[in-house]
Amino acid sequence: MKKYVIGLDYGTDSVRAVLIDTENGSEITSSVSYYQRWKEGRFCNPSANSFRQHPSDHMEGLEKTISEVVRESGIPPEQIVSICIDTTGSSPLPITSDGTALAMVPGFEENPNAMMILWKDHTAIPEAEEINTLARTWGGEDYTKFEGGIYSSEWFWAKILHINRIDEEVKNTAFTWMEHCDYLTYLLSDHKDLTTFKRSRCAAGHKAMWNESWDGLPSEEFLNRLDPSLGELRRRLYRKTYTSDEIAGYLNEEWAAKTGLSTKTIIAVGTFDAHSGAVGAKVEENTLIRIMGTSTCDIMVASREAIGDRTVKGICGQVDGSVIPGLIGLEAGQSAFGDVLAWYKDILMWPVQQVMMYSESISEAQKAKLVAEMETGLIRKLTLEAEKIPLSDSVPIALDWINGRRTPDADQELKAAISQLSLGTKAPHIFKALVNAICFGAKKIVDRFEEEGVKINKVIGIGGVARKSPFIMQTLANVLDMPIVVAASDQTPALGAAIYAAVSAGIYPTVQEASMKMGSGFEAEYQPKAEEVQHYRELMQQYQKLADFVEYNTKLKNSRKELQNS
């Protein structure tokens, strides 16, 4: 009997389920569901860097996508043997004592603080700084040392501390908190004991300062110094964590009925999208996997012998088993990648939306058609024109910190900047400057890994940007001065989740073997162009000067603010 598995990939805007043949990794069918409330812009305040998502969006997408792939495939439920879920992270949400997401409880349905705090939410910058200061000064263990030495406002403890301080009702009503990948896995599973439910090693290690060397999460004493509510919460969390090749439970009766599957279907331990994407792209040692979408995650694996006792500074953590059991998973990334270009597109679309849409010269149908054409064609046209700009032309220098800096050396207070504008600067010049900026940010990450002794021999690009923009990929190859191959799969994170599911079901003995059998092939390769490499080295120096200037002035401004407050 042939066996199939389902990988579910929860992105920022949508969830996609893929049904995969375990023999060769081929996709049988897939289904996507967009988050309706998120699409409407509800519960978010971008000007305050506040991004929240209602769990109803995720639950509705869960039911829709799984039931559709089961129905459309026509495969008997007993042959679909396992499911694994990957999500964004750190994206925690508060949970009641009976395992209900707090936003599903009457009275909290419209409260953004009771919802999932999305990975890109940066409302917890002061709390993250408190955690960093305490970790360095309290005289005990530095719990940030396996997190690159800097704890980010994007992560678990900082976000919870922020919510506890601004919303007493949420703090007092929430029994515990779960990462997005843990909550959705728990939702499907028949294992309903919150105290023993298997939490993701990937999520806990990279975002919650979990490490075996100090027997789990940061100590209660450390957390109490931040806020007694965190110390209390620790008692209701977990001590052990689990890799995603393990079984979290079996599909419960409620969700078996909703999806058309069997209660014998295995539910694997959850994980993060970037880490499962690396598995889907056949990650190996000395290979950098770049997952390029709205932001980026940069994933590597290394043996314990290669890493030794070293901690890699300024990245998003090193965790034993977070990608492949038995190897150290290393994570870095950029807070904005595709988002930088999406921001520029929104700027250029403003006159269309605010002026043309109020015009009385054309009909409503014509307006809608024009907006759709511009939405679809704007980036494509900018790309075509940017490619024509000769190297001799003056192009502005930009920073990619439009959503802060994730790595190297997390600092979410940093902002983007553009310099060297002139009357000769046109829209395609600025677009090219922004493309350069996101590639220069990638170069800083590669440099940091290599400075810390982690050798990179190969770069694999996955995600929408990697597959859709040869211009960006060629620029990246020139900036890195390295060849880059692009994974052929449209859904590499979902494929990676399916690979974990296959191992949890016992179809393959190890994640490495399953990845080699089921992982994605490659569809394109970009070689650096010798005549352009030197040009980008010179531009990189200008990028670094602008970065140093902005960072210095940000720190100066913050120091003055601290003096005024004291």
Side-chain angles (χ1 to χ4, degrees):
M1 183 176 70
K2 290 194 72 170
K3 294 182 180 179
Y4 302 86
V5 290
I6 292 175
L8 279 115
D9 173 40
Y10 275 83
T12 302
D13 302 316
S14 63
V15 55
R16 185 179 298 269
V18 295
L19 181 64
I20 300 293
D21 185 334
T22 60
E23 284 185 6
N24 52 26
S26 62
E27 181 181 309
I28 305 304
T29 187
S30 67
S31 172
V32 65
S33 176
Y34 291 90
Y35 312 141
Q36 188 57 43
R37 297 161 189 80
W38 171 259
K39 194 175 180 180
E40 293 168 359
R42 295 172 64 187
F43 314 121
C44 296
N45 181 4
S47 63
N49 284 319
S50 178
F51 297 96
R52 312 294 166 81
Q53 288 188 339
H54 201 289
S56 290
D57 275 338
H58 306 132
M59 294 161 70
E60 289 162 9
L62 188 64
E63 182 175 352
K64 175 182 181 292
T65 56
I66 296 181
S67 60
E68 281 187 0
V69 298
V70 172
R71 184 174 61 253
E72 290 176 9
S73 71
I75 294 169
E78 60 271 17
Q79 288 182 253
I80 302 174
V81 295
S82 185
I83 296 172
C84 182
I85 297 174
D86 74 74
T87 70
T88 65
S90 178
S91 299
L93 69 163
I95 305 293
T96 65
S97 59
D98 66 355
T100 303
L102 188 57
M104 306 300 291
V105 173
F108 290 94
E109 307 99 316
E110 301 293 315
N111 183 347
N113 298 325
M115 297 174 193
M116 194 186 82
I117 317 299
L118 191 63
W119 64 269
K120 67 194 285 185
D121 185 288
H122 290 155
T123 52
I125 288 174
E127 289 77 11
E129 188 51 43
E130 283 184 55
I131 291 170
N132 286 315
T133 300
L134 181 64
R136 296 179 194 123
T137 61
W138 78 300
E141 186 72 68
D142 180 0
Y143 292 112
T144 70
K145 70 181 182 181
F146 293 110
E147 311 274 17
I150 302 172
Y151 200 74
S152 169
S153 63
E154 293 183 348
W155 298 346
F156 187 80
W157 292 109
K159 288 177 171 177
I160 296 170
L161 181 56
H162 177 72
I163 297 299
N164 284 357
R165 286 180 172 167
I166 66 169
D167 198 318
E168 194 79 15
E169 193 174 10
V170 170
K171 180 179 82 169
N172 292 334
T173 309
F175 173 76
T176 190
W177 285 71
M178 296 181 92
E179 277 288 355
H180 191 196
C181 65
D182 288 327
Y183 170 69
L184 290 170
T185 302
Y186 174 83
L187 196 67
L188 292 182
S189 173
D190 62 349
H191 187 132
K192 293 302 182 187
D193 184 343
L194 285 171
T195 61
T196 59
F197 184 74
K198 292 181 179 179
R199 306 290 188 108
S200 165
R201 168 77 55 86
C202 176
H206 285 286
K207 312 303 180 188
M209 298 188 284
W210 181 94
N211 194 275
E212 286 180 310
S213 66
W214 46 73
D215 198 30
L217 295 166
S219 70
E220 195 171 327
E221 180 187 358
F222 176 82
L223 295 172
N224 279 335
R225 293 197 185 195
L226 291 166
D227 192 289
S229 67
L230 296 189
E232 292 174 17
L233 173 63
R234 186 190 189 279
R235 293 179 224 141
R236 300 191 293 272
L237 287 171
Y238 50 87
R239 188 174 69 81
K240 291 183 177 181
T241 62
Y242 300 84
T243 54
S244 291
D245 58 332
E246 298 201 47
I247 297 173
Y250 290 83
L251 188 63
N252 60 52
E253 291 184 358
E254 177 189 358
W255 280 92
K258 286 181 177 181
T259 60
L261 287 172
S262 162
T263 54
K264 293 181 180 178
T265 304
I266 290 167
I267 307 300
V269 172
T271 189
F272 282 162
D273 50 6
H275 303 74
S276 65
V279 169
K282 300 181 180 177
V283 66
E284 301 175 284
E285 290 189 63
N286 305 119
T287 299
L288 176 69
I289 309 289
R290 298 212 82 225
I291 299 91
M292 291 176 274
T294 53
S295 66
T296 78
C297 274
D298 298 270
I299 304 292
M300 298 189 70
V301 294
S303 67
R304 296 184 182 100
E305 293 74 25
I307 293 295
D309 295 328
R310 288 181 294 118
T311 54
V312 181
K313 296 180 177 64
I315 64 169
C316 301
Q318 54 194 77
V319 179
D320 192 349
S322 65
V323 182
I324 293 177
L327 295 176
I328 307 296
L330 303 162
E331 178 191 347
Q334 293 166 266
S335 291
F337 196 77
D339 264 357
V340 176
L341 307 181
W343 164 81
Y344 186 50
K345 174 184 167 184
D346 288 345
I347 295 289
L348 296 182
M349 286 294 296
W350 188 90
V352 177
Q353 295 160 341
Q354 300 299 322
V355 179
M356 189 195 77
M357 292 303 288
Y358 292 97
S359 171
E360 296 179 0
S361 302
I362 57 177
S363 69
E364 293 302 315
Q366 289 172 319
K367 290 175 187 177
K369 186 177 179 182
L370 281 170
V371 169
E373 285 177 0
M374 291 194 68
E375 288 276 1
T376 303
L378 186 55
I379 294 293
R380 184 164 58 244
K381 182 61 175 174
L382 285 168
T383 298
L384 290 172
E385 294 303 315
E387 286 178 312
K388 296 176 186 176
I389 297 172
L391 295 182
S392 57
D393 263 25
S394 177
V395 172
I397 300 297
L399 299 181
D400 53 311
W401 301 337
I402 201 97
N403 197 26
R405 184 178 66 201
R406 182 179 295 159
T407 53
D409 306 317
D411 189 340
Q412 301 303 342
E413 291 197 317
L414 293 173
K415 305 296 181 188
I418 302 177
S419 69
Q420 299 184 30
L421 296 166
S422 74
L423 290 175
T425 303
K426 308 300 181 186
H429 291 84
I430 296 174
F431 180 77
K432 186 170 185 176
L434 296 174
V435 170
N436 291 346
I438 59 179
C439 294
F440 293 147
K443 171 70 169 163
K444 294 293 293 181
I445 291 169
V446 169
D447 288 349
R448 176 57 61 88
F449 272 126
E450 297 208 317
E451 288 162 7
E452 293 288 315
V454 182
K455 181 67 179 167
I456 297 172
N457 296 331
K458 183 163 128 185
V459 179
I460 298 175
I462 69 174
V465 175
R467 297 197 72 213
K468 294 175 184 176
S469 181
F471 175 56
I472 293 175
M473 297 311 293
Q474 184 59 59
T475 303
L476 186 61
N478 293 336
V479 170
L480 297 183
D481 193 15
M482 286 183 182
I484 303 172
V485 295
V486 176
S489 173
D490 259 337
Q491 305 301 332
T492 319
L495 177 58
I499 289 168
Y500 285 129
V503 180
S504 73
I507 296 167
Y508 292 97
T510 67
V511 173
Q512 293 101 315
E513 186 174 333
S515 180
M516 290 303 116
K517 289 275 190 179
M518 297 173 61
S520 175
F522 303 102
E523 67 177 11
E525 183 171 351
Y526 297 88
Q527 293 287 341
K529 296 180 179 179
E531 68 274 16
E532 297 189 20
V533 168
Q534 182 56 41
H535 172 75
Y536 281 106
R537 281 181 184 153
E538 293 167 5
L539 290 183
M540 181 77 191
Q541 291 174 2
Q542 296 178 51
Y543 168 92
Q544 187 61 59
K545 286 180 181 178
L546 180 60
D548 291 342
F549 174 80
V550 169
E551 189 163 9
Y552 172 79
N553 280 278
T554 300
K555 289 178 179 176
L556 189 63
K557 181 182 73 174
N558 289 340
S559 297
R560 287 172 177 164
K561 193 184 294 183
E562 288 175 10
L563 283 172
Q564 288 172 354
N565 292 337
S566 61

